[in-house]
């Protein structure tokens, strides 16, 4: 259309530079205009593509990058689904999932048949585009701390249901279109698919756990390469048995979900590479398919776009409205559910690209889909921000944090397992509060300037990790010979509420539980303290043994910390086993609501606790020990003895937890 001057290039370096320029400009424009960057990426592809200024052609290299981006989108979609929250609110997810699938499907088929005059097969595939949706506004909801509300889990669970069903329709339509709809084909297809899913779900987590334990010791690069390799292998196998590769990528995300916690460095790496390279390249490559002139010359394109936009918006709104009435949800939350699920992006782009490539859907539908994506993403972003702000700042039943602090201090040295320590502190951080994490290095007074420079470089590594995850890190250096006192002073000066220690595995001390520094600090302090010995990534732990001494359950704050601990373990899909006495068992049994993934082991002779636990644990398993400070009524000599033996065990991952006190060395008991 704009090819008056020949600007076309075949230089791969220049082509890559043009693409990266679009990727650079899109988020800048998004911030200034409040329009999602996905729209600018699509527009960029339209302008530089063969139907725009014809600067870049859709060569095999461009198509390859686009295909990788498409698989990456589906992989991330599987990763971001919180399976634990979906399980807890199954009824919400099931009801909303069926509503948000069937209503758009029915309206889409009718629109395709009677308004666009398409045949039934094309109308069915068109309708599946409306049924699926992408949670592109979920980060906004998560930022305001609303992701645990039942309405949000309904939207997440509904996404799984509707996207899977939409993908099944895509498979069926392709099979019928290509003449593969015989009984023999479907029998073979169903058997192969069942075997593929079962074997993948059963053995890939075992392979991932083995790899994470044995080989993932560095800065996270090995884990990233591993999960991407698994994703593309599953995508290829999916293609081999007759499924679309996007099914395999989505399945990979669901399977590896528990190994990649939301706040982990690995998740940050997945999102960073996806958001800055593969996914933008896919969006640009899709934009290159659009003939801009069709919007001006051809009335049919405009008609198709209008039908698609109206159908998508009305159908998703009706689904949210009916669900809200069934579950008696407030009007603001109905708007929030609608705004989260009206966005047509990843799954829609995936399906329309596949449908267009094999010839079921026309270029009019492809062009109309792009316009629909632009309008729905803009609308979804606008209404999501409106709804979350109204809920977060305008409702009385929201969580009130008051002046409670959630600041974390992490004392570090050169020899510790820094990567696991950083990742654990990120998992503990309350993102909603925006409280920083303080990393402290104490340098002895007699050390020279070289040691101070060395400490600064160590802290620079930590700050860089923080930037990757967009977390605020405050590096601190103190000079002094009394490390424990230096930590205590830092805690008071910065109003710290949690201190995270890494156990010195190289220099265990014979007459100390965790070492002179940690023991002295925990005896004299009042803050919540974590002591870590993490040999492996937390995501590799298939079982977590939580050791609960007798009187700890009466400690003020115990239930809150336990609840938070269980939340993290369930996100990691870790089987939880409480180790305690009978009376503690009865108390916890009343406290814990969802007991599906929780077991109890009774140990009435705590002098044998360490032997009992060591006989149970396997490499990669996690021990979490709630501890009492000396001079507290919750403390016992047997507790210290068992903790020392268990943390020194070579194969165990250990987290010791000292609960916070109210004043001095005495903690309030309830």
């Amino acid at each position: 259309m704009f090819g008056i001057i020949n600007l076309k290039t075949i230089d791969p370096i220049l082509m890559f530079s043009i693409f990266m320029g679009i990727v650079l400009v899109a988020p800048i424009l998004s911030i200034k205009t409040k329009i999602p960057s996905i729209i600018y990426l699509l527009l960029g592809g339209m302008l530089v593509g063969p139907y725009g200024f014809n600067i870049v052609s859709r060569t095999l290299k461009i198509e390859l990058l686009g295909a990788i981006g498409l698989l990456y989108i589906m992989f991330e979609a599987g990763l971001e689904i919180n399976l634990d929250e979906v399980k807890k609110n199954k009824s919400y997810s099931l009801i909303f999932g069926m509503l948000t699938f069937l209503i758009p499907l029915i309206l889409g088929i009718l629109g395709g048949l009677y308004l666009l005059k398409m045949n039934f097969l094309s109308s069915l595939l068109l309708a599946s585009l409306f049924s699926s949706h992408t949670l592109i506004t979920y980060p906004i909801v998560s930022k305001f701390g609303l992701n645990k509300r039942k309405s949000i889990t309904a939207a997440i669970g509904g996404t799984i249901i509707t996207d899977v069903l939409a993908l099944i329709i895509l498979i069926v339509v392709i099979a019928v279109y290509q003449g593969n709809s015989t009984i023999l084909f479907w029998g073979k297809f169903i058997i192969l698919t069942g075997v593929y899913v079962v074997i993948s779900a059963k053995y890939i987590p075992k392979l991932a756990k083995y790899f994470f334990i044995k080989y993932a010791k560095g800065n996270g690069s090995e884990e990233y390469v591993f999960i991407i390799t698994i994703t593309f292998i599953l995508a290829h196998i999916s293609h081999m048995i007759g499924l679309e590769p996007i099914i395999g990528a989505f399945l990979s995300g669901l399977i590896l979900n528990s190994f990649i916690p939301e706040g982990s460095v690995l998740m940050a790496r997945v999102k960073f590479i996806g958001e800055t390279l593969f996914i933008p390249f896919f969006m640009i490559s899709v934009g290159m398919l659009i003939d801009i002139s069709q919007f001006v010359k051809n009335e049919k394109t405009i008609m198709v776009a209008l039908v698609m936009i109206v159908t998508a918006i009305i159908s998703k709104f009706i689904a949210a409205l009916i669900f809200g009435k069934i579950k008696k949800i407030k009007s603001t939350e109905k708007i929030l559910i609608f705004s989260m699920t009206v966005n047509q992006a990843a799954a829609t782009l995936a399906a329309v690209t596949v449908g267009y490539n094999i010839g079921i859907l026309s270029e009019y539908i492809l062009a109309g889909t792009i316009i629909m994506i632009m309008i729905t993403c803009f609308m979804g972003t606008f209404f999501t921000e409106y709804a979350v702000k109204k809920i977060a700042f305008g409702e009385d039943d929201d969580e009130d944090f008051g002046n409670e602090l959630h600041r974390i201090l992490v004392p570090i040295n050169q020899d510790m397992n820094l990567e696991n320590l950083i990742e654990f502190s990120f998992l503990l951080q309350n993102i909603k509060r925006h409280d920083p994490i303080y990393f402290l290095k104490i340098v002895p007074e007699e050390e020279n300037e070289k040691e101070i420079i060395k400490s600064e470089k160590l802290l620079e590594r930590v700050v860089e990790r923080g930037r990757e995850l967009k977390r605020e890190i405050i590096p601190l250096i103190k000079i002094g010979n009394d490390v424990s006192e230096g930590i205590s002073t830092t805690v008071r000066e910065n109003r710290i509420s949690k201190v995270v220690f890494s156990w010195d595995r190289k220099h265990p001390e014979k007459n100390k539980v965790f070492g002179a520094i940690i023991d002295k600090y925990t005896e004299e302090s009042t803050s919540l303290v974590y002591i870590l010995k993490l040999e492996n990534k937390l995501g590799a732990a298939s079982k977590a043994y939580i050791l609960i001494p007798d009187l700890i359950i009466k400690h003020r704050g115990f239930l809150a910390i336990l609840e938070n601990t269980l939340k993290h373990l369930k996100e990691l899909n870790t089987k939880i086993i409480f180790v305690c006495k009978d009376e503690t068992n009865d108390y916890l049994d009343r406290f814990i609501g969802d007991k599906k993934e929780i077991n109890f082991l009774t140990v009435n002779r705590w002098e044998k606790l360490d032997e009992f636990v060591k006989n149970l644990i396997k490499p990669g398993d996690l021990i979490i020990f709630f501890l009492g400070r000396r001079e507290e009524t919750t403390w016992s000599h047997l507790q210290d003895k068992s903790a020392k033996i268990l943390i020194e065990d070579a194969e165990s991952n250990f987290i010791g937890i000292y609960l916070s006190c109210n004043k001095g060395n005495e903690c309030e008991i309830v």
Side-chain angles (χ1 to χ4, degrees), residues 96 99-100 102-104 107 310-326 334 337-338 341-342:
F96 180 68
L99 286 170
T100 199
L102 290 174
I103 293 173
L107 292 181
V310 172
T311 304
I313 293 172
I314 289 178
S315 61
K316 291 296 182 182
F317 180 77
I318 292 172
L321 189 65
I322 294 174
F323 175 74
K325 287 188 178 296
I326 292 172
K334 291 176 193 172
I337 293 173
F338 161 71
T341 56
V342 74

Side-chain angles (χ1 to χ4, degrees), residues 341-382:
T341 56
V342 74
N343 306 286
Q344 306 291 318
T348 306
L349 273 174
V352 77
T353 304
V354 172
Y356 175 78
N357 287 337
I358 66 174
I360 301 177
L361 299 177
S362 68
E363 61 183 13
Y364 305 118
I365 300 298
L366 182 61
T369 301
I370 299 302
I371 299 299
M372 179 180 68
I373 287 170
M374 293 179 181
I375 299 297
T376 56
C377 287
F378 177 79
M379 179 178 286
T381 303
F382 175 81

Side-chain angles (χ1 to χ4, degrees), residues 76-284:
E76 273 200 32
L79 274 187
E80 292 179 354
I81 291 170
N82 190 327
L83 295 174
D84 182 59
E85 291 297 321
V86 172
K87 287 176 187 175
K88 283 199 298 189
N89 298 284
K90 285 180 285 194
S91 65
Y92 276 67
S93 300
L94 184 60
I95 293 170
F96 180 68
M98 295 310 298
L99 286 170
T100 199
F101 172 75
L102 290 174
I103 293 173
L105 187 73
I106 293 167
L107 292 181
I109 292 173
L110 294 174
L113 289 173
Y114 297 108
L115 295 178
L116 301 180
K117 308 301 180 183
M118 299 166 64
N119 60 45
F120 179 77
L121 205 60
S122 298
S123 297
L124 181 60
L125 185 55
L126 174 70
S128 72
L129 303 182
F130 307 134
S131 294
S132 64
H133 57 255
T134 305
L135 298 174
I136 67 164
T137 59
Y138 180 78
I140 301 173
V141 176
S142 181
K143 176 184 174 183
F144 282 85
L146 304 178
N147 46 323
K148 286 188 178 180
R149 300 177 83 95
K150 289 183 179 180
S151 56
I152 305 305
T153 56
I156 295 168
T159 300
I160 299 176
I161 293 169
T162 194
D163 282 6
V164 169
L165 291 175
L167 290 172
I168 290 172
I169 287 178
L170 176 65
I171 295 164
V172 172
V173 169
I174 290 171
V176 173
Y177 182 78
Q178 295 177 339
N180 294 325
S181 56
T182 63
I183 295 175
L184 180 64
F185 169 81
W186 286 114
K188 179 182 174 183
F189 173 77
I190 291 169
I191 291 170
L192 286 176
T193 301
V195 171
Y196 164 63
V197 172
V198 169
I199 290 177
S200 299
K202 184 175 181 181
Y203 291 104
I204 286 179
K206 293 180 180 179
L207 178 63
K209 180 181 177 183
Y210 175 81
F211 182 88
F212 278 29
I213 291 173
K214 293 291 183 181
Y215 301 107
K217 303 291 184 183
N219 62 4
S221 300
E222 303 93 340
E223 299 101 303
Y224 178 78
V225 174
F226 173 82
I227 64 172
I228 295 303
T229 302
I230 291 294
T231 298
F232 281 85
I233 289 174
L234 286 184
H236 181 66
I237 295 173
S238 178
H239 179 66
M240 288 173 61
I241 66 174
L243 294 165
E244 282 300 312
I246 56 177
I247 303 287
F250 184 70
L251 178 65
S252 174
L254 289 176
I255 290 172
L256 296 172
N257 191 298
S258 61
F259 291 90
I260 311 174
E262 180 60 34
S264 66
V265 173
L266 181 55
M267 179 63 91
R269 185 167 280 110
V270 168
K271 289 188 174 182
F272 176 77
I273 296 176
E275 290 171 4
T276 56
L277 191 63
F278 294 129
I279 295 175
F281 274 30
F282 168 67
M283 300 299 179
I284 294 169

Side-chain angles (χ1 to χ4, degrees), residues 8 55 147 247 301 318 348 418 439 500 529 635 666 668:
K8 191 171 183 178
I55 299 171
N147 46 323
I247 303 287
T301 303
I318 292 172
T348 306
L418 193 59
F439 279 79
V500 180
V529 176
W635 178 84
E666 296 182 4
E668 229 179 295

